[in-house]
Amino acid sequence: MSIAEKFVSMEYGPAPEDPKEAQAWLERHSRKFHHFIDGGWLAPAAGEYFDTLDPSNGEKLASVAQGSSADVDAAVRAARAASPKWRALTPHLRARYLYNLARLVQKHSRLLAVLETMDNGKPIRESRDIDIPLVARHFYYHAGWAQLLEQEFPDHEPCGVVGQIIPWNFPLLMLAWKIAPALAAGNTLVLKPAEFTPLTALAFAGLCQEAGIPGGVVNIVTGDGSTGESLVKHPEIDKIAFTGSTEVGRAIRGATAASHKRLSLELGGKSPFIVFDDADLDGSVEGLVDGIWFNQGQVCCAGSRLLMQESIAEVLISKIRDRMNTLRLGPPLDKAIDVGAIVARVQLERIQRMVAQGVAEGATCWQPQITLPSRGFYFPPTILSNVHPTSIVAQQEIFGPVLAAMTFRTPKEAVELANNTVYGLASCVWSESINVALHVAAQLKAGVVWVNCTNLFDAACGFGGYRESGYGREGGREGLLEYMEPKWFKHAPKLVADRPPVPPLQDPADSGTPSIDRTIKLYIGGKQARPDSGYSMEVRSPDGALLGEASLGNRKDIRNAVEAARKAEGWAKATAHNRAQVLYYCAENLAVRQDEIASRLASAVGEQQAKREVASGIERIFSYGAWADKFDGAVHNPPFRNIAIAMNEPIGTVGVICPSETPLLGFLSLVLPLIAVGNTVIAVPSEKYPLIAADLYQLFDTSDLPGGAVNIVTGYVSQLLKPLAEHDDVDAIWCYGDEATVASAKAMSTGNLKQVWTNEGRTIDWFDSKVAEGRWLLEHATQVKNIWVPYGE
Ligand code: NAI
């Protein structure tokens, strides 16, 4: 046989990684694990344990404590007790602890990689070369933030005690993404690993002991969803960070609505992998291997929807099939394996069910001729073609090694198809034309865009979703901010209920009040609009004098305003300079009319406040004119041959419930940061003095603000909040109000998981520009998109 023939026929021999060290570690713990609470091992109060299995053969690895609410309580109490000392440590000392953890992860990397593969089923090549090195990188990076904390975030404090719930697909990496920033910012925490994969979190608990982390700072409670639920509901938790399914994310959002717990959610995805006809096709096929067969496709940002330009579809599919034929599937501890085991039987059955449903809906299924191991949970790499964009396999997360392929003709169609999903986590664009790639990247609704590369991660580059993929970022400066609050905010006084009950409706004909024609109208799409109801609300001065009437907006008016705001999304594409010009023009026009506006406003809030509101309002507009072209993103230099361009993008269409007591300044303080960065807005102005709407819309009309960028619907918050919060085309709600109002804003917007930002029922002094203006608001008005671009040959 010639060398060339041998080369073709050559089979890989088995190259198993030695599990001895991991087995010895399991034996040292007698294959039975308690919770890690207050720096030591604590048996579960109810004495219950569950088994964790090796998915490559279905055998039991160990039994692990099932956490009850009593266990969660013990862990939270330990974290609370440890909090004052930990947050009071100097940044340098905290940095040293994190640095120690990074070193220990590297020192024990082999044990951690093998254990991860045994518990999860992922190929050792991945856990060894990707997961564990990224874990170490995360702790190094955040050791750096701990060191710089006081310099870089002087006016912030940690959230306090954090509850963290992670999934099974990247067990130790997700732990690192959660624990490193939490500790760096000075929080103590309770983390619950996923029930399928608790072992590396327990090994990490050992590293915490070795690193000398004080007892109670890191607590690990194992268990299933019910343990997670107890953690979410615990009253002593200040923040919940969750990664997992959108369904559970939604439940957590509902469960935390009535509390002040901060929440960050990293949820599912159905990420597009777009290949243009000028792409390096072989390169894109390798990218796809990493995109959908990495970790058996059990990746929240998996490139699970292949969108191919029609002209290259046939040749691309054929190249993909050729490559699929060379993928090696088998026992994941084998170093030459590409595709390992599915995490658990239920997940395997879920994948099988969804693929069968996709085929029933018309998709063509192709799989390479692979013999699956006789034991364990395996599913072959699969490609479904002729997939209709509405099919379940094009819309729902399969979380398995299954690619759904579709075609498009033009870049516009590619963007439409790519964005045709409730998710928005990641995306890939393959094209040799940098212009096409970046043009498309800018239009994709996703937190990450990889140009000509796939599934790259780094601690310095924030990761997280748009839309139902969640909110908040992990990694980067923005990820750290998720674990901190401005110092003043947490201690701000409670806002007393400032909105009177809604009076019964009076028919305009019998009321004897001024007719509807003399009523301040709504402002929708740049035009004054009569309210759908025909009703109005009386506006009275503090001593009861009738000041005028404002239109009583209803659900239909909100719908019209949302439509107008959506149509005006071109505002986001206006240049920052252009937006700044419009804002300065607003300031100029307010200055011209300040006496007149102040004298009207005085009838509701008194002369002194009215003058202050107008004067501060002019300044505030100037400030956001200034910010409009200065709230820039960043360029990261991850340790690869890539740059990651972190863009501060607008969230989209935002509903704003304005403060009642400062009708002009409160409105401007919330609406301006949003429009300065390109959002469009539907604002419900002060209930106390909605007549300010007329002054505002004259201001906008005369200042070249495009119609629809700001829409104003007057009326009662108790009637307008619901349609705004429930509207699927509203991307975020900013709600200023008392505790009950902000709790309902959060509860009502669980449906499409829109971002909600509130004052948490606390008072904000709108006259104090140090707290009521600037970066804090702009950070909430934007979401970061990281666009990864490779360089070099
Ligand atoms: P899951 O969302 O149920 O589990 C994730 C974590 O949440 C686990 O630690 C679990 O114990 C915990 N949990 C479950 N119910 C909870 C509750 N009510 N309150 C608090 N914590 C709770 O995900 P699961 O069942 O493991 O997987 C189901 C599907 O979810 C997968 O097929 C996949 O589509 C998706 N998924 C997405 C992930 C992502 O990273 N985007 C990760 C894991 C699953």
Side-chain angles (χ1 to χ4, degrees):
M1 194 188 271
S2 72
I3 290 188
E5 281 166 342
K6 270 192 187 161
F7 189 77
V8 172
S9 70
M10 197 161 52
E11 276 293 305
Y12 285 95
E17 177 72 42
D18 189 349
K20 208 165 54 213
E21 196 187 347
Q23 295 289 5
W25 179 82
L26 288 168
E27 289 302 333
R28 267 203 310 283
H29 288 269
S30 312
R31 295 187 182 266
K32 186 168 182 177
F33 291 88
H34 302 326
H35 303 301
F36 181 70
I37 294 177
D38 206 10
W41 300 101
L42 192 74
E48 284 177 23
Y49 293 82
F50 63 94
D51 292 346
T52 183
L53 309 181
D54 178 342
S56 73
N57 53 27
E59 284 171 13
K60 173 177 167 179
L61 288 169
S63 52
V64 177
Q66 166 60 35
S68 61
S69 54
D71 300 332
V72 167
D73 187 51
V76 175
R77 275 191 285 123
R80 178 61 68 196
S83 173
K85 263 196 176 162
W86 180 252
R87 68 197 292 167
L89 282 187
T90 64
H92 176 61
L93 277 181
R94 276 208 302 274
R96 282 190 179 204
Y97 280 120
L98 281 147
Y99 188 78
N100 282 351
L101 284 171
R103 302 285 293 173
L104 286 168
V105 167
Q106 283 186 316
K107 191 168 145 199
H108 295 285
S109 58
R110 190 183 163 95
L111 165 70
L112 295 170
V114 173
L115 202 57
E116 193 77 305
T117 284
M118 285 164 65
D119 208 15
N120 166 281
K122 64 173 69 203
I124 184 71
R125 207 164 45 80
E126 293 178 8
S127 46
R128 184 195 60 198
D129 299 344
I130 298 170
D131 292 40
I132 308 303
L134 277 172
V135 170
R137 162 89 182 123
H138 234 77
F139 281 102
Y140 279 125
Y141 175 81
H142 285 93
W145 272 131
Q147 177 73 30
L148 300 178
L149 207 67
E150 281 180 2
Q151 293 165 43
E152 286 291 303
F153 302 95
D155 302 320
H156 288 70
E157 64 175 39
C159 295
V161 176
V162 180
Q164 306 183 312
I165 298 168
I166 55 171
W168 41 259
N169 50 348
F170 293 91
L172 196 62
L173 184 56
M174 290 301 106
L175 172 147
W177 281 24
K178 297 275 179 295
I179 289 187
L183 292 185
N187 300 277
T188 57
L189 60 97
V190 179
L191 176 131
K192 192 202 83 69
E195 50 271 48
F196 297 145
T197 54
L199 292 181
T200 45
L202 296 164
F204 180 82
L207 301 192
C208 290
Q209 288 178 317
E210 210 177 324
I213 305 278
V217 171
V218 173
N219 304 276
I220 311 273
V221 176
T222 48
D224 59 12
S226 67
T227 317
E229 228 178 309
S230 303
L231 191 54
V232 167
K233 291 191 176 144
H234 199 290
E236 282 293 305
I237 291 280
D238 299 300
K239 174 194 163 77
I240 290 286
F242 171 78
T243 299
S245 61
T246 294
E247 190 189 340
V248 173
R250 200 173 272 129
I252 291 178
R253 172 60 179 284
T256 52
S259 74
H260 296 304
K261 292 181 180 116
R262 274 190 74 178
L263 187 58
S264 49
L265 298 173
E266 202 264 274
L267 309 175
K270 194 76 195 175
S271 300
F273 188 102
I274 309 170
V275 187
F276 285 96
D277 59 5
D278 66 349
D280 165 3
L281 293 190
D282 294 321
S284 74
V285 171
E286 286 315 305
L288 198 58
V289 170
D290 283 340
I292 186 66
W293 293 303
F294 172 55
N295 201 17
Q296 296 69 249
Q298 302 166 127
V299 182
C300 49
C301 53
S304 52
R305 281 187 299 146
L306 171 63
L307 310 182
M308 308 167 283
Q309 198 149 21
E310 208 170 70
S311 52
I312 45 121
E314 210 170 303
V315 48
L316 186 61
I317 291 278
S318 141
K319 281 176 185 281
I320 294 168
R321 286 182 180 180
D322 288 349
R323 183 65 178 89
M324 287 168 80
N325 276 324
T326 68
L327 289 172
R328 301 194 70 228
L329 179 148
L333 274 179
D334 187 329
K335 284 176 261 190
I337 284 301
D338 301 307
V339 180
I342 301 297
V343 73
R345 184 178 298 283
V346 298
Q347 186 63 18
L348 177 62
E349 287 168 358
R350 190 185 135 92
I351 298 167
Q352 289 164 337
R353 227 176 20 249
M354 287 189 76
V355 169
Q357 202 170 333
V359 171
E361 285 174 4
T364 311
C365 177
W366 189 87
Q367 293 168 331
Q369 292 303 310
I370 288 181
T371 315
L372 301 182
S374 54
R375 294 189 316 148
F377 316 127
Y378 293 91
F379 194 87
T382 300
I383 181 162
L384 299 172
S385 41
N386 300 323
V387 172
H388 193 274
T390 60
S391 166
I392 183 169
V393 290
Q395 290 295 329
Q396 288 186 22
E397 193 171 39
I398 301 177
F399 233 60
V402 183
L403 182 65
M406 284 156 271
T407 57
F408 66 87
R409 289 189 181 156
T410 60
K412 183 167 176 275
E413 210 177 292
V415 170
E416 275 167 15
L417 263 181
N419 288 338
N420 178 26
T421 164
V422 294
Y423 297 114
L425 195 52
S427 49
C428 286
V429 182
W430 289 78
S431 165
E432 288 297 288
S433 157
I434 190 79
N435 290 8
V436 170
L438 293 182
H439 181 61
V440 168
Q443 297 172 76
L444 293 173
K445 297 213 185 299
V448 183
V449 184
W450 289 293
V451 172
N452 294 336
C453 56
T454 313
N455 269 347
L456 294 178
F457 308 96
D458 184 53
C461 306
F463 182 87
Y466 281 30
R467 309 201 275 195
E468 292 191 28
S469 289
Y471 47 79
R473 293 289 179 267
E474 297 191 285
R477 187 188 177 92
E478 59 271 30
L480 195 67
L481 276 169
E482 294 289 330
Y483 287 95
M484 286 185 262
E485 304 255 32
K487 271 184 188 148
W488 65 269
F489 182 60
K490 216 162 175 190
H491 312 287
K494 205 166 148 174
L495 183 72
V496 276
D498 60 344
R499 295 188 173 103
V502 177
L505 278 180
Q506 276 190 325
D507 193 308
D510 328 320
S511 65
T513 50
S515 83
I516 193 79
D517 291 319
R518 289 167 51 198
T519 300
I520 298 290
K521 298 202 178 62
L522 310 175
Y523 184 60
I524 295 179
K527 296 196 182 71
Q528 295 181 37
R530 286 176 193 281
D532 169 66
S533 69
Y535 286 109
S536 55
M537 64 200 283
E538 288 184 349
V539 182
R540 291 187 181 272
S541 69
D543 58 14
L546 184 65
L547 300 176
E549 298 209 8
S551 292
L552 197 54
N554 68 10
R555 172 176 289 273
K556 178 120 190 289
D557 301 311
I558 290 286
R559 277 212 300 269
N560 293 340
V562 173
E563 205 181 310
R566 275 279 176 221
K567 279 198 193 133
E569 278 182 346
W571 174 243
K573 295 196 191 109
T575 64
H577 172 71
N578 181 231
R579 287 199 297 270
Q581 292 295 300
V582 171
L583 289 174
Y584 285 128
Y585 199 10
C586 280
E588 212 179 286
N589 285 325
L590 181 54
V592 169
R593 297 178 46 222
Q594 58 183 324
D595 293 341
E596 170 206 338
I597 292 177
S599 76
R600 271 195 293 274
L601 182 58
S603 59
V605 299
E607 195 182 325
Q608 212 189 349
Q609 181 179 325
K611 281 192 172 153
R612 273 186 82 200
E613 280 200 51
V614 177
S616 304
I618 296 169
E619 252 193 65
R620 193 129 306 160
I621 309 179
F622 248 76
S623 279
Y624 285 107
W627 274 114
D629 56 5
K630 289 169 196 67
F631 191 63
D632 288 330
V635 176
H636 299 300
N637 294 294
F640 315 102
R641 289 161 69 81
N642 283 76
I643 50 166
I645 309 164
M647 315 263 299
N648 287 334
E649 291 202 337
I651 297 167
T653 294
V654 182
V656 181
I657 304 293
C658 297
S660 209
E661 294 306 310
T662 43
L664 178 67
L665 189 59
F667 182 102
L668 293 175
S669 301
L670 290 177
V671 170
L672 292 174
L674 285 164
I675 59 170
V677 294
N679 295 285
T680 59
V681 166
I682 301 105
V684 179
S686 161
E687 250 179 41
K688 179 175 171 182
Y689 184 67
L691 302 179
I692 196 67
D695 290 315
L696 285 163
Y697 55 66
Q698 279 170 18
L699 191 68
F700 295 140
D701 272 345
T702 48
S703 308
D704 294 345
L705 185 74
V710 174
N711 305 276
I712 307 177
V713 180
T714 48
Y716 295 111
V717 170
S718 56
Q719 292 167 354
L720 298 176
L721 177 58
K722 192 169 151 65
L724 255 184
E726 287 179 350
H727 201 301
D728 277 345
D729 266 343
V730 174
D731 299 299
I733 295 284
W734 281 21
C735 176
Y736 185 93
D738 56 28
E739 286 200 339
T741 308
V742 303
S744 13
K746 292 186 210 173
M748 287 167 183
S749 51
T750 44
N752 73 347
L753 280 168
K754 57 175 67 72
Q755 306 190 17
V756 180
W757 188 48
T758 77
N759 60 324
E760 295 297 336
R762 298 171 197 146
T763 305
I764 295 179
D765 178 359
W766 299 108
F767 291 99
D768 181 354
S769 57
K770 284 204 194 67
V771 305
E773 153 181 329
R775 280 195 179 273
W776 186 52
L777 290 104
L778 291 161
E779 276 150 8
H780 286 92
T782 49
Q783 48 194 347
V784 180
K785 175 194 272 180
N786 270 283
I787 304 176
W788 291 65
V789 186
Y791 55 79
E793 281 297 305

